[in-house]
């Protein structure tokens, strides 16, 4: 049962710290005697290193050491592994090339590190890096996804540059349904490559204590325990109990800080090797070049319908770019987090998807806010919108007609997932009302009168969050379980310290989790301190991604809090001479039922730690409880986004004039924080749809390597968002929550593009719909019209 | 950034002699163009001569029909100046549209003009208004000052001290901003006065230029329709991720018409 305090828009506890500059980010930490690392990076995308001479650099002022890929190999440091096995259609295992922390003889993307200079100051390290003498034998680079399979082979382990050829769903049934259908809508589309750009660049400090033989690594991680597991069990950096990872305040991740990168590995390794604290902080250019990028799919899809617009079958073929190496989660993104979502909110009986993962000489591609689900939603909601055009049906009504209905739950999709609950029509109706769909044609006329084009677009998305039921994940090839840990430590005075394996890098856990625990224990949220991000402090945990923190991490905390209450009842029973079954706990008080006897939570806490009057023979003193929670299913946040745009046909400039999002996230602890998450997600989604594009030239040089060319959304690019909620409570976790962190980025891109194609009266436009792209599309459409006449 | 010697002279003379004595010196104004290139190690002066202490480069004044803006005047100060707003409101508006608050609080008109970025805003105003660039050596009409991409007639060690603008007729500037950098993809400055019409376009080509085709058409009829059917020569137009040559050419006409519409 969820009690008071939940659902209140409590101001964020962490904000005072953040907005007064009192945050403690990795780069804020300076260790006594620390040296600085500067990575020497390849200026070319694909090459053999034919010679490498570091002697001049080693002799330079202030230089402690110059370490190379050869030394990494000599010390037996392993490859950075990808954590998810994906099997091909023929049952063969995915092809995974080794990923050395420093390249030894071959360069596979521009920006790849092949040496590191460690010096007393960063300036000295940079100066010395220019003295590293290296010669490359440059090779033709493979850059575009579409050409990857026919290009020169990048890794000997990966023939045709293809990691796997994966499928999901019933092939024959799907093809048959398409062949016999009344109408088939066909679509080819690209999901544009994105560069994450968290406001805090990645950073790491390695610190070695030769007395205890322990390494401490401070790093910008969304999942410090997972990083420790990978660095110890796979990379063989140190035994697990001799590596402590601290991820202090982290300034945004969006997925890019899940992964285990070269730099933190090297800094930790070098710290021990040189017995010296070593610090590295990426500059923005390094972030552009080396943070794992997102998306980058090329797909073809077919949607079959009967004469009434009922969906019969969906077939999808996707090429997914993995970049030069398989990053930590990369293989799972275009498969388990993508193919499984292609049923969407619809009861399409047959869905069949094939995904080939391909390698290119570009930065690794991995999970980025939404991870796979935005790609699935974009494909599905684009083809549904075009199907509505082709069937001459209202796009909202075509969707409504095909929705899975409330009575259909639990609903088994043809692509593996079982949705527990939802009410898609409720979200659609509320969104239609909030967006004043009925008034759209009048608004369009008003725009036309001013020489503008106006369009409206829909997106009814679903996502699978709360990663993940461990057994399901395991059967899908995950290398780890995906439960979460939580601990509630009641202090003798009754205040509470909460430890969670989740990690906050902007999400507001210190507030949300405090609200959750405070309401369970009937205490003030000011009496709850939430601690996260240190493998030396809390139990092993799985970290934060996939909108899992509240539904999985929060559930663990709820279980732990329940245990505290259960133990408290026993103590209270003893103190008040009653059976613990006769004690009710309500609003911070333990009461003997049908009496006026009661004890406060604080009195019970004190009694537990000062057990002078205490049933010591039956009960241990102290009041601390832990719980591990493994979810029974994924959670399924879903909703409707409606975007309205106005386009200036003279310049191609598109303004998002109205954006409505109605989401069903299950139980909401703090609506203000949830709205903030939705706002941020939509901003990123609009960024993808209209502004952002990671572009490499044909030689593999990143052309959008700074904010001068990579266009991040800014406040004046965005309208005020109208955010609404509908609620169906998640059936299988104690909080009832589904997760809200990614929905905005998942739902919004197709709504924006559907609005733009609607305004332009065209079938297709690729993301990002920049002014140039929109103008060019209009020119082409006008020319085609002219030719058609 | 590499190490360099920092100087902060208090007179023009001292600045010039420091320049003459140094191995590979550069002048520093707001630093918003120079410092990023130094951080990226693309520029490596041995000596940085900061112009901040030179009172000779400060201040905005008007004498009759001449508005003078000292080279070290920040964009924000031009934007906020009542003198500028009264004399040439389009110039204040242009300054208000440069970069963001931080850039406007540091960047200077002298630095912008000396740099001659093909996508910068000020060069359009200088050329459009027929301004004069005053330096330690001479006074150069804007028509002769801007040579090509990042190139001006400034010689080694020559310091811009001020820019003077004739106050005549009315003027307007509209920029179509690059969505990412917010520099001008195309910016059009038009000045209409008794002697005719001047049209300067920035962003479109390798350097700011006067658009003689538009000037001729507008001199006979100052109306949007006057630009119809004019095709610009685009041999030296820029092409990048954000705008093709055709798009830029198209935008020149669209933006010029918007400027005209706001002036008639
Ligand atoms: C994020 C960002 C956004 C920007 N957006 C815009 C924009 O939208 N529009 C725009 O027009 N500009 C823009 N700029 C550029 C900005 O206006 C710069 O300030 C300007 O171009 C250079 O002026 P500065 O005073 O900073 O010069 P500095 O960077 O100090 O110097 C630039 C060059 O000029 C030389 N120099 C400086 N002063 C003199 C002088 N008096 N005499 C001779 N040489 C001199 C220097 O030696 C150097 O070579 C932007 C800059 C940034 C960083």
């Amino acid at each position: 049962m969820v009690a008071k305090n939940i659902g209140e828009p409590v101001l964020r506890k962490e904000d005072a710290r953040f907005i007064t500059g009192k945050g403690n980010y990795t780069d804020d930490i300076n260790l006594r005697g620390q040296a600085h690392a500067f990575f020497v990076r390849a200026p070319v995308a694909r090459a053999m290193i034919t010679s490498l001479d570091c002697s001049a650099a080693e002799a330079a002022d202030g230089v402690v050491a110059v370490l190379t890929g050869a030394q990494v190999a000599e010390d037996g440091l392993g490859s950075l592994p990808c954590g998810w096995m994906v099997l091909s259609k023929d049952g063969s295992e995915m092809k995974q090339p080794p990923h050395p922390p420093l390249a030894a003889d071959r360069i596979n993307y521009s920006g790849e590190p092949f040496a590191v200079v460690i010096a007393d100051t960063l300036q000295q390290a940079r100066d010395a890096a220019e003295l590293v003498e290296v010669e490359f034998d440059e090779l033709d680079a493979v850059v575009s996804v579409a050409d990857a399979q026919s290009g020169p082979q990048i890794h000997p382990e990966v023939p045709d540059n293809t990691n796997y050829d994966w499928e999901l769903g019933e092939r024959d049934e799907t093809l048959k349904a398409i062949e016999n259908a009344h109408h088939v809508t066909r679509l080819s589309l690209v999901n544009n490559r994105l560069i994450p750009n968290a406001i805090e660049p990645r950073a790491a400090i390695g610190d070695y204590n030769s007395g205890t033989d322990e390494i401490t690594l401070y790093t910008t991680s969304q999942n410090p325990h997972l990083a420790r597991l990978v660095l110890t069990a796979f990379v063989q950096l140190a035994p697990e109990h001799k590596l402590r990872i601290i991820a202090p305040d982290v300034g945004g991740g969006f997925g890019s800080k899940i992964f285990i990168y070269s730099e933190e590995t090297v800094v930790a390794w070098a710290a021990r090797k040189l017995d010296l604290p070593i610090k590295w902080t990426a500059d923005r250019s390094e972030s552009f070049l080396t943070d794992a990028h997102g998306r980058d799919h090329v797909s073809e899809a077919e949607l079959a319908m009967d004469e009434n617009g009922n969906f019969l079958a969906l077939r999808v073929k996707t090429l997914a770019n993995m970049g030069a190496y398989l990053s930590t989660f990369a293989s799972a993104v275009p498969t388990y987090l993508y193919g499984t979502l292609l049923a969407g909110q619809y009861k399409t009986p047959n869905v069949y998807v094939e995904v080939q993962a391909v390698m290119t000489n570009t930065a690794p591609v991995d999970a980025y806010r939404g991870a796979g689900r935005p790609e699935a939603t974009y494909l599905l909601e684009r083809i549904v919108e075009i199907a509505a055009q082709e069937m001459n049906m209202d796009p909202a009504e075509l969707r409504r007609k095909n929705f899975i209905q409330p009575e259909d739950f639990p609903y088994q999709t043809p692509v593996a997932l079982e949705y527990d609950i939802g009410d898609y029509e409720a979200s659609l109706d509320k969104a239609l009302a909030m967006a004043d769909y009925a008034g759209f044609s009048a608004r369009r006329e008003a725009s036309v009168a001013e020489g503008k084009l106006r369009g409206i677009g829909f997106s009814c998305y679903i996502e699978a969050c709360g990663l993940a039921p461990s057994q399901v994940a395991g059967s899908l090839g995950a290398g780890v379980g995906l439960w979460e840990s939580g601990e509630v430590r009641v202090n003798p005075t009754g205040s509470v310290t909460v430890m969670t394996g989740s990690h906050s890098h902007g999400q507001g856990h210190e507030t949300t989790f405090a609200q959750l625990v405070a309401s369970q224990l009937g205490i003030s949220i000011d009496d709850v301190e939430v601690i996260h991000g240190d493998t030396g402090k809390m139990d092993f945990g799985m970290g934060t991604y996939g909108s899992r923190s509240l539904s999985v991490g929060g559930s663990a905390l709820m279980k732990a809090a329940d245990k505290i209450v259960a133990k408290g009842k026993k103590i209270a029973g003893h103190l008040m001479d009653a059976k613990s079954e006769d004690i009710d706990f309500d609003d911070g008080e333990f009461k003997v039922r049908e009496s006026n006897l009661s004890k406060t939570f604080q009195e019970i806490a004190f009694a537990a730690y000062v057990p002078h009057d205490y049933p010591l023979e039956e009960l241990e003193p102290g009041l601390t409880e832990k719980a591990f929670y493994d979810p029974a299913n994924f959670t399924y946040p879903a909703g409707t986004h409606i975007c309205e745009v106005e386009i200036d046909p003279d310049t191609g400039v598109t303004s998002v004039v109205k954006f409505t999002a109605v989401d069903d996230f299950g139980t909401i602890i703090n609506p203000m924080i949830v709205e903030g998450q939705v706002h941020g997600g939509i901003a990123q989604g609009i960024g993808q749809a209209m502004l952002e594009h990671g572009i490499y030239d044909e030689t593999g040089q990143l052309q959008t390597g700074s904010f001068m060319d990579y266009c991040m959304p800014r406040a004046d690019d965005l309208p005020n968002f109208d955010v609404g909620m509908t609620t169906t409570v998640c059936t299988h976790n104690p909080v009832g929550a589904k997760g809200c962190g990614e929905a905005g980025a998942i739902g919004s891109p197709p709504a924006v593009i559907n609005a733009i194609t609607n305004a332009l009266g065209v079938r297709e436009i690729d993301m990002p719909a920049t002014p140039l792209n929109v103008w060019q599309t209009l020119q082409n459409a006008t020319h085609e019209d002219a030719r058609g006449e | 950034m590499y190490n360099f010697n920092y100087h902060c002279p208090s007179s023009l003379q001292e600045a010039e002699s420091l320049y003459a004595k140094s191995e590979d010196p550069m002048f520093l104004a707001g630093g918003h163009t120079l410092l990023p290139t130094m951080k990226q190690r693309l520029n490596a002066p041995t000596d940085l001569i900061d112009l901040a202490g030179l009172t000779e480069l400060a201040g905005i004044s008007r004498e009759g029909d001449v508005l003078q803006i000292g080279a070290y005047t920040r964009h924000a100060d031009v934007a906020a100046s009542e003198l500028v707003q009264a004399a040439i409101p389009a110039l204040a508006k242009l300054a208000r549209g440069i970069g963001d608050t931080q850039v406007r609080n540091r960047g200077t008109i002298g630095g912008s003009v000396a740099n001659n970025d093909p996508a910068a805003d000020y060069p359009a105003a200088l050329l459009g208004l027929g301004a004069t660039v005053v330096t330690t050596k001479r006074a150069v009409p804007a028509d002769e000052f801007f040579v090509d991409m990042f190139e001006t007639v400034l010689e080694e060690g020559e310091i811009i001290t001020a820019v003077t603008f004739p106050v005549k007729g009315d003027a307007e500037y509209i920029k179509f901003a690059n969505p990412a950098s917010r520099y001008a993809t195309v910016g059009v400055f038009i000045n209409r006065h008794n002697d005719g019409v001047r049209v300067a376009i920035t962003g479109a080509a390798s350097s700011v230029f006067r658009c003689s085709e538009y000037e001729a058409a507008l001199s006979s009829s100052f109306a949007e329709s006057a630009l119809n059917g004019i095709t610009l020569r685009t041999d030296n137009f820029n092409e990048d991720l954000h705008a093709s040559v055709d798009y830029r050419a198209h935008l020149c006409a669209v933006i010029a018409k918007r400027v005209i519409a706001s002036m008639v």
Side-chain angles (χ1 to χ4, degrees):
Chain A
M1 263 300 294
V2 170
K4 279 181 297 215
N5 199 340
I6 297 214
E8 296 292 322
V10 178
L11 292 183
R12 300 195 341 158
K13 286 166 70 106
E14 47 271 77
D15 282 348
R17 172 167 100 245
F18 292 149
I19 61 186
T20 57
K22 297 285 162 56
N24 182 38
Y25 296 89
T26 300
D27 191 57
D28 292 327
I29 298 168
N30 290 296
L31 303 180
R32 182 178 303 208
Q34 81 191 358
H36 295 263
F38 184 80
F39 285 86
V40 193
R41 300 181 184 280
V44 293
R46 184 159 175 255
M48 301 301 294
I49 300 176
T50 52
S51 81
L52 179 60
D53 179 356
C54 301
S55 49
E58 278 164 345
D61 269 1
V63 171
V64 180
V66 182
L67 303 173
T68 65
Q71 279 151 302
V72 167
E74 251 167 48
D75 280 11
L77 227 54
S79 155
L80 301 172
C82 174
W84 288 71
M85 172 54 64
V86 173
L87 301 182
S88 285
K89 290 171 185 163
D90 62 8
S92 62
E93 295 196 341
M94 77 182 179
K95 312 284 187 297
Q96 185 178 176
H99 183 184
L102 291 176
D105 47 12
R106 286 180 306 146
I107 294 301
N108 289 312
Y109 68 100
S110 161
E112 183 171 8
F114 60 89
V116 61
V117 180
I118 292 152
D120 295 341
T121 69
L122 179 58
Q123 187 72 16
Q124 288 168 331
R126 273 191 96 141
D127 287 346
E130 291 180 1
L131 302 176
V132 170
E133 284 172 32
V134 59
E135 277 168 34
F136 298 109
D137 181 7
E138 239 189 292
L139 303 168
D140 285 343
V142 180
V143 179
S144 86
V145 201
D147 302 337
Q149 291 171 307
S150 56
Q153 187 169 331
I154 299 172
H155 298 281
E157 300 81 3
V158 190
D160 304 322
N161 294 325
T162 304
N163 304 96
Y164 54 73
D165 178 7
W166 176 84
E167 66 179 346
L168 183 66
E170 287 294 329
R171 179 175 187 276
D172 295 345
E173 292 298 309
T174 304
L175 296 190
K176 202 159 66 187
I178 290 172
E179 207 174 287
N180 299 327
H182 166 78
H183 181 78
V184 180
T185 294
R186 295 192 165 81
L187 177 66
S188 306
L189 85 180
V190 174
N191 204 290
N192 47 324
R193 187 179 183 108
L194 301 179
I195 302 177
N197 284 313
I199 198 162
E200 179 206 22
R202 288 190 295 116
I205 307 173
D207 186 24
Y208 178 63
N209 181 331
S210 57
T212 58
D213 191 28
E214 198 184 46
I215 301 175
T216 303
L217 173 63
Y218 301 84
T219 184
T220 49
S221 174
Q222 301 180 209
N223 34 225
H225 282 95
L226 202 63
R228 188 183 68 175
L229 181 67
V230 169
L231 288 175
T232 56
F234 297 91
V235 183
Q236 308 288 339
L237 179 66
E240 197 173 2
H241 61 296
K242 292 293 186 187
L243 176 63
R244 175 178 177 187
I245 298 191
I246 300 175
D249 285 328
V250 174
F254 313 110
S256 70
K257 292 173 181 166
I258 299 173
F259 322 124
I260 320 305
Y261 289 91
S262 297
E263 292 86 356
E264 61 253 30
T265 309
V266 167
V267 155
W269 163 71
R272 183 179 54 200
K273 196 175 176 68
L274 305 171
D275 195 2
L276 195 68
I278 296 171
K279 180 176 195 172
W280 168 77
T281 302
D283 62 27
R284 187 55 68 182
S285 305
E286 288 180 293
S287 303
F288 270 103
L289 286 171
T290 65
D291 287 4
H293 295 179
R295 320 281 193 253
D296 210 351
H297 285 192
V298 174
S299 298
E300 282 172 21
E302 296 175 300
L303 176 66
M305 282 160 287
D306 70 13
E307 58 280 11
N308 299 316
N310 293 308
F311 299 163
L312 303 175
L314 175 74
R315 179 188 185 173
V316 176
K317 260 184 148 160
T318 293
L319 280 179
N321 195 350
M322 301 280 102
Y325 296 100
L326 283 184
S327 172
T328 320
F329 264 48
S331 57
V333 175
T335 49
Y336 310 134
L337 296 175
Y338 168 75
T340 53
L341 270 303
L342 285 167
Q345 300 187 352
Y346 312 112
K347 44 190 184 200
T348 316
N350 298 292
V351 179
Y352 176 66
V353 50
E354 295 163 280
V355 179
Q356 299 189 344
V358 299
M359 311 220 78
T360 55
N361 295 112
T362 63
V365 180
D366 204 328
Y368 171 66
R369 200 171 193 171
R373 290 151 289 168
E375 295 90 316
T377 303
Y378 183 64
L379 181 136
L380 192 56
E381 290 304 292
R382 283 289 296 130
I383 200 166
V384 166
E385 192 85 10
I386 294 173
Q389 276 175 21
E390 292 180 352
M391 297 292 285
N392 224 345
M393 291 177 71
D394 181 285
E397 295 316 307
L398 177 65
R399 288 176 166 91
R400 184 193 303 279
K401 174 181 220 111
N402 285 284
F403 279 160
I404 300 160
Q405 296 299 315
E407 63 272 17
D408 297 332
F409 294 102
Y411 177 81
Q412 176 63 53
T413 74
V415 275
L417 298 176
E418 188 187 84
Y419 300 164
D420 63 335
I421 193 168
D423 187 344
Y424 308 139
E425 232 175 319
S427 306
L428 176 65
D429 285 335
K430 186 163 180 177
L432 287 173
M434 282 171 60
D436 184 23
Y437 185 40
F440 172 71
S441 54
R443 293 195 294 279
R444 172 176 259 176
E445 275 170 36
S447 294
V448 168
E450 290 179 12
K452 300 277 174 62
L453 306 170
R454 201 176 187 100
I456 194 164
F458 299 85
S459 163
C460 297
Y461 75 93
I462 189 164
E463 49 169 335
C465 293
L467 267 51
S470 291
Q471 288 176 356
V472 177
S475 70
L476 290 175
V480 290
L482 284 158
W483 42 265
E484 193 50 87
S485 67
E487 179 177 348
V488 176
R489 277 189 202 168
V490 182
N491 302 313
T493 57
S495 67
V496 169
T497 305
V498 168
M499 307 271 180
T500 172
S502 301
H503 186 277
S504 181
H505 28 281
Q507 293 88 342
H509 293 171
E510 286 168 48
T511 307
T512 303
F513 287 175
Q515 279 179 266
L516 186 71
V517 171
S519 69
Q520 287 303 105
L521 300 181
I523 58 178
S524 157
I525 74 158
D526 296 334
D527 290 335
V528 182
E529 193 67 27
V530 177
I531 298 184
H532 61 85
D534 183 345
T535 64
K537 284 187 180 159
M538 62 269 321
D539 277 315
F540 198 99
M542 296 309 299
T544 288
Y545 38 83
S547 305
R548 67 189 302 274
S549 298
L550 182 61
S551 62
V552 190
S555 293
L557 288 175
M558 234 163 129
K559 282 181 65 179
D562 288 347
K563 292 184 192 175
I564 294 281
V565 170
K567 184 168 179 183
K569 284 182 178 175
K570 290 186 188 159
I571 302 169
H574 172 85
L575 291 176
M576 297 185 285
D577 253 340
K579 289 198 232 135
S580 64
E581 305 90 83
D582 293 335
I583 307 275
D584 289 328
F585 181 66
D586 181 35
D587 203 13
E589 285 197 72
F590 293 90
K591 294 178 185 148
V592 181
R593 204 168 303 135
E594 287 161 14
S595 88
N596 61 358
L597 292 175
S598 73
K599 290 276 177 196
T600 64
F601 181 77
Q602 289 76 11
E603 286 173 306
I604 296 302
F606 192 76
Y609 288 96
V610 187
H612 296 163
D613 177 12
Y614 195 88
L616 282 168
E617 28 336 308
E618 295 148 39
L619 211 56
E620 293 172 8
L623 197 54
T624 286
E625 296 289 352
K626 294 178 174 190
F628 286 74
Y629 176 77
D630 200 285
N633 191 354
F634 294 90
T635 60
Y636 300 97
T640 293
H641 288 190
I642 301 178
C643 177
E644 202 167 315
V645 298
E646 194 176 64
I647 295 175
D648 174 357
D650 290 336
T651 58
V653 169
T654 302
S655 313
V656 177
V657 288
K658 206 166 159 56
F659 198 102
T660 309
V662 175
D663 303 287
D664 177 357
F665 297 137
T667 304
I668 285 172
I669 309 292
N670 185 322
M672 179 198 71
I673 289 180
V674 168
E675 263 197 49
Q677 289 287 312
V678 172
H679 285 198
I682 297 171
Q684 273 171 307
I686 292 177
Q688 165 158 34
M690 296 174 54
L691 308 166
E692 299 180 45
H693 199 182
I695 301 173
Y696 285 89
D697 70 13
E698 65 279 6
T699 67
Q701 291 300 326
L702 184 62
Q703 289 185 288
T704 51
S706 84
F707 293 128
M708 295 299 274
D709 284 308
Y710 189 88
C711 187
M712 292 296 281
R714 280 170 260 198
D716 64 357
D717 293 314
L718 307 166
N720 284 326
F721 304 127
D722 297 322
V723 176
M725 302 288 161
T726 58
T727 304
T728 60
V729 174
C730 173
T731 58
H732 55 79
N733 68 49
V735 185
K738 300 181 181 178
C740 67
E742 297 161 294
I746 292 170
S748 55
V752 175
I753 293 298
N754 289 339
I756 291 174
T757 53
N758 179 254
L760 298 177
V762 300
R763 189 178 193 268
E764 293 169 38
I765 187 168
D766 275 334
M767 297 192 289
T770 60
L772 170 64
N773 186 6
V774 169
W775 178 78
Q776 196 64 59
T777 303
L778 265 175
Q779 297 305 301
N780 298 347
T782 325
H783 288 149
E784 265 161 40
D785 278 0
R787 248 180 274 133
E789 272 159 22
Chain B
M1 209 178 267
Y2 296 102
N3 284 336
F4 54 84
N5 302 310
Y6 174 80
H7 311 273
C8 194
S10 50
S11 72
L12 265 180
Q13 208 183 1
E14 189 187 346
E16 288 183 290
S17 78
L18 277 167
Y19 193 96
K21 276 193 294 202
S22 305
E23 186 188 332
D24 195 1
M26 284 185 86
F27 294 118
L28 173 70
H32 266 227
T33 293
L34 181 53
L35 295 183
T37 61
M38 287 174 63
K39 281 190 187 168
Q40 290 173 299
R41 303 190 157 203
L42 299 173
N43 247 320
T46 57
D47 294 79
L48 213 49
I49 301 166
D50 194 343
L51 305 179
L54 306 186
T55 46
E56 295 100 318
L57 308 193
I60 301 174
S61 60
R62 178 172 176 176
E63 268 176 50
D65 283 341
V66 177
L67 179 74
Q68 172 160 329
I69 300 180
Y72 203 83
T73 311
R74 317 266 191 205
H75 310 328
D77 294 332
V78 173
S81 160
E82 282 171 20
L83 266 183
V84 178
Q85 283 168 12
I88 313 173
L91 188 57
K93 176 184 159 189
L94 174 148
R96 202 157 49 240
I98 297 176
D100 51 37
T101 308
Q102 289 89 329
V103 171
R104 290 191 293 275
N105 283 337
R106 293 295 308 169
T108 66
I109 187 169
S112 177
V113 169
N115 194 49
N116 192 22
D117 188 313
D121 294 296
Y122 267 129
L126 267 71
L127 207 53
L129 289 165
T132 301
V133 181
V134 184
T135 76
T136 39
K137 297 195 173 139
R138 53 196 161 147
V140 189
D143 281 316
E144 292 160 26
F145 184 82
F146 301 106
V147 178
D148 204 350
M149 191 176 281
F150 298 111
E151 202 185 325
T152 68
V153 297
L154 281 180
E155 289 166 8
E156 275 292 294
E158 186 172 5
I159 300 174
I160 301 176
T161 55
V163 181
T164 61
F165 295 91
V167 180
K168 59 176 182 179
D170 56 349
E172 186 54 280
Y173 176 69
I174 294 178
K175 129 159 111 171
F176 185 86
N178 173 318
S181 74
R182 305 268 170 112
Y183 273 81
T185 294
V186 165
V188 180
F189 198 105
I190 298 182
N191 176 210
R192 176 178 53 165
H193 48 81
N194 291 337
D195 313 331
V197 178
R198 289 177 72 104
V199 180
I201 300 182
T202 188
S206 58
S207 174
V208 63
F209 64 96
R210 273 180 70 183
C211 185
S212 49
E213 297 95 326
Y214 287 180
E215 287 185 358
L218 292 174
S219 297
S220 46
S221 153
F222 197 81
E224 292 174 64
S225 57
L227 303 190
N228 290 344
I230 297 178
T231 319
L232 297 181
R233 275 189 298 109
T234 56
D235 349 327
N236 63 345
F237 266 40
N238 302 322
E239 170 119 23
D240 56 32
L241 297 174
H242 308 280
S244 60
V245 169
D246 287 350
Y247 184 49
R248 277 199 164 83
H250 170 79
L251 284 176
C252 287
V254 171
I255 302 303
K257 285 181 182 180
R258 287 184 184 178
V259 174
I260 295 160
S262 72
M263 291 173 73
V264 291

